[in-house]
Amino acid sequence: MDAFRIQGGTRLSGRWGVDGSKNAALPLMAASLLCDEPVHLRGIPPLMDVRNMTRLLRELGVDIHAQGRDYTFHVTDATKLHARYEIVKTMRASICTLGPMLARRGEARVSMPGGCAIGDRPVDLHLRGLEALGAQITLEGGDIVARAKKLIGTTIFLGGPFGSTVLGTANIMSAAVLARGCTVIESAACEPEIADLAVLLNAMGAHISGAGTPRITIEGVDELHSAEHEVLPDRIVAGTLAIATAISGGDVTFENYPWDHLLALTHLMHEIGIVVERVDPSNELTSRCTVRVAADGTFKPVLFTTQPYPGFPTDLQAQLMSLLCLADGNSIVTEKIYPDRFMHVPELNRMGAKLVRQGPTVVVQGVDELIGAPVMASDLRGSAGLILAGLAARGETEVSRIYHVDRGYVRIEEQLNNLGANIERIDGETGEVVGGAPLILTKPMTSGAQKTA
Ligand code: EPU
């Protein structure tokens, strides 16, 4: 298994362009199941989860052509109904094929996703929503089987104990576009990835309003048609690189930065004392901005709580926690989406951090420095947090099991190295440097990287 060997103490600088979003791309790809005509998506990031979704959609009768990051999806066999466990277990987002397949094919069988490293991840809200639309749902041999000759529009409340559900909203919204009559989703997820999905569905002929707010209204139509769409920039990758810049005391200008989608992070970064500023004030496309992030290595402590959008995203909790390890004082981090998403905490403590967890809250006592150590990644965003800690640590950090980070970041080590980091991808067993991940590299636009030891 690959690992990263990181020499800490380098400072990031230069320019960097933000990739298309993984979490937007996956439900957009699944939406191609809704029509018989080609759906063209641009800007799909070359990641393992995308590869898995491609594999799954092919098994579900979708012909897929890719040229670089531009993909065409075309359903050629609508008789395929089974998203098998072998694929679903590699990627929970497989669940977002359920709604589109049911709505278009009248039946869908999707293996029930299990728990994962970040905690219990039930799908009861997805199923409740589809049942409200008239689907009959059973569990057969570990598969969710949903059947409905024709879905019927209705009002659905999608709130759960931890707020709404992002992929659940994607599933119900996608299914409801082909239902008879009007569907209203109350307590819908407001994440930008949902608004992005609605833009594609409307371009395909759906009638959706309110996506991106807690109430989404969908007037059902009989069929959808071909459309083209560009995936929105990845707010979590952008946020991760912004925090990486700050923790390294660096200065990086980001292109294609989703400013509007990261206001909660920007607010906290300002409180911490980090410069985050738009450098294109005349640009009206506020989800694709040019933004400068700079820091001098001193950080004020803050309190933050993860929340559904537009609150602070759980997917950036680990990364910001790494930075707060180096703040001048005590910070408090509360996780309200996945109360057990703290596998990075003991690993950071191995690097000299002073973190104490009590239930869903971690007290972060700032220390003067982190010290390089071997640490183990257990999930995608936690791995990113450990890599950031390694950037700032004194000496060498080895992060093992980095296949997690490859699921959501396009060759993160090369992207960071282009900005001045010193990270090698090594064989975790032998310690030998390996040639690189099997994925395509996105080059930064330009690089004025410099290394300071
Ligand atoms: N929940 C329920 N019942 C459900 C669905 C969810 O109780 O039926 C709970 C979950 O257990 C959790 C909360 O509701 O406590 C929110 O879960 P949600 O359904 O919104 O998560 P998701 O849609 O499965 C997406 C992202 C996650 C991200 C969450 C929250 C994708 C592919 N995944 O997951 O991304 O953390 O929303 O923002 O879009 C990641 O990228 O690392 C990642 C985990």
Side-chain angles (χ1 to χ4, degrees):
M1 266 185 270
D2 288 359
F4 283 152
R5 188 156 56 207
I6 306 170
Q7 307 303 331
T10 57
R11 178 176 169 271
L12 302 189
S13 67
R15 290 179 86 84
W16 185 76
V18 183
D19 273 318
S21 157
K22 163 182 88 77
N23 287 352
L26 298 173
L28 291 170
M29 292 166 74
S32 67
L33 291 164
L34 282 163
C35 82
D36 298 340
E37 293 181 9
V39 174
H40 308 283
L41 296 179
R42 285 180 280 120
I44 294 196
L47 294 168
M48 205 51 83
D49 277 8
V50 164
R51 190 176 289 189
N52 285 331
M53 182 58 94
T54 304
R55 222 175 104 212
L56 173 58
L57 290 174
R58 285 203 167 111
E59 283 201 14
L60 295 176
V62 184
D63 198 25
I64 301 175
H65 288 284
Q67 208 170 22
R69 286 156 189 254
D70 298 347
Y71 283 61
T72 301
F73 302 85
H74 191 183
V75 172
T76 50
D77 181 357
T79 63
K80 302 276 175 45
L81 301 171
H82 193 187
R84 294 179 305 120
Y85 177 65
E86 283 65 31
I87 299 190
V88 175
K89 74 178 181 199
T90 65
M91 184 190 54
R92 294 183 50 87
S94 310
I95 188 75
C96 60
T97 57
L98 181 64
M101 199 163 27
L102 170 68
R104 183 68 187 145
R105 302 180 181 181
E107 185 172 332
R109 176 183 282 262
V110 177
S111 179
M112 172 83 104
C116 72
I118 64 177
D120 282 347
R121 295 179 70 184
V123 291
D124 55 308
L125 299 172
H126 300 236
L127 305 187
R128 191 171 87 194
L130 293 175
E131 274 176 339
L133 287 171
Q136 282 199 325
I137 308 231
T138 51
L139 192 63
E140 295 173 21
D143 294 332
I144 301 160
V145 182
R147 296 186 180 92
K149 281 209 174 82
K150 182 77 183 166
L151 296 170
I152 313 286
T154 185
T155 297
I156 298 165
F157 178 73
L158 260 197
F162 301 99
S164 188
T165 160
V166 179
L167 291 178
T169 301
N171 247 333
I172 309 308
M173 183 170 79
S174 300
V177 296
L178 291 180
R180 186 179 313 132
C182 178
T183 300
V184 177
I185 306 177
E186 288 286 3
S187 195
C190 302
E191 271 67 5
E193 294 76 20
I194 296 298
D196 200 45
L197 175 60
V199 171
L200 170 69
L201 293 172
N202 282 340
M204 292 165 73
H207 291 164
I208 302 171
S209 58
T213 76
R215 176 186 290 176
I216 302 178
T217 304
I218 305 140
E219 294 289 344
V221 297
D222 287 338
E223 58 182 12
L224 299 180
H225 52 70
S226 183
E228 188 174 329
H229 181 75
E230 174 150 17
V231 180
L232 89 174
D234 195 315
R235 64 194 169 102
I236 304 303
V237 173
T240 301
L241 269 285
I243 300 168
T245 302
I247 202 172
S248 78
D251 190 336
V252 172
T253 299
F254 295 82
E255 310 279 359
N256 219 24
Y257 188 96
W259 176 266
D260 264 14
H261 302 158
L262 282 169
L263 293 178
L265 173 66
T266 303
H267 169 74
L268 278 175
M269 287 177 91
H270 286 164
E271 270 191 35
I272 293 169
I274 300 161
V275 175
V276 186
E277 58 186 10
R278 277 191 70 177
V279 290
D280 61 340
S282 62
N283 186 342
E284 283 176 20
L285 247 184
T286 54
S287 61
R288 293 178 190 273
C289 299
T290 306
V291 169
R292 174 172 170 252
V293 176
D296 63 7
T298 57
F299 308 119
K300 293 191 194 109
V302 290
L303 313 183
F304 79 88
T305 300
T306 64
Q307 288 171 322
Y309 187 84
F312 187 87
T314 173
D315 293 343
L316 288 173
Q317 177 253 109
Q319 300 90 316
L320 194 62
M321 185 184 290
S322 292
L323 181 139
L324 292 174
C325 290
L326 295 168
D328 299 326
N330 295 344
S331 301
I332 297 181
V333 177
T334 302
E335 175 55 69
K336 285 227 170 138
I337 307 294
Y338 299 112
D340 288 322
R341 195 179 202 177
F342 288 126
M343 284 79 59
H344 44 285
V345 165
E347 302 301 304
L348 287 171
N349 280 341
R350 302 190 73 250
M351 299 177 69
K354 287 204 170 142
L355 307 177
V356 180
R357 178 181 168 194
Q358 285 217 324
T361 295
V362 172
V363 177
V364 184
Q365 192 181 330
V367 294
D368 290 339
E369 63 171 5
L370 292 171
I371 304 157
V375 288
M376 193 171 78
S378 302
D379 72 302
L380 165 55
R381 308 302 172 184
S383 322
L386 296 177
I387 293 167
L388 268 47
L391 282 181
R394 172 163 57 84
E396 186 175 290
T397 296
E398 190 174 312
V399 184
S400 57
R401 301 202 175 181
I402 49 145
Y403 60 86
H404 289 294
V405 87
D406 286 334
R407 287 187 38 228
Y409 296 85
V410 181
R411 301 198 60 168
I412 191 169
E413 80 281 23
E414 296 196 18
Q415 306 219 31
L416 290 168
N417 285 345
N418 280 325
L419 294 169
N422 183 347
I423 306 178
E424 289 172 313
R425 183 179 287 260
I426 59 170
D427 180 320
E429 302 294 311
T430 64
E432 281 172 19
V433 176
V434 291
L439 302 171
I440 306 153
L441 167 67
T442 314
K443 292 214 184 312
M445 302 199 171
T446 56
S447 174
Q450 69 186 73
K451 285 186 187 172
T452 58

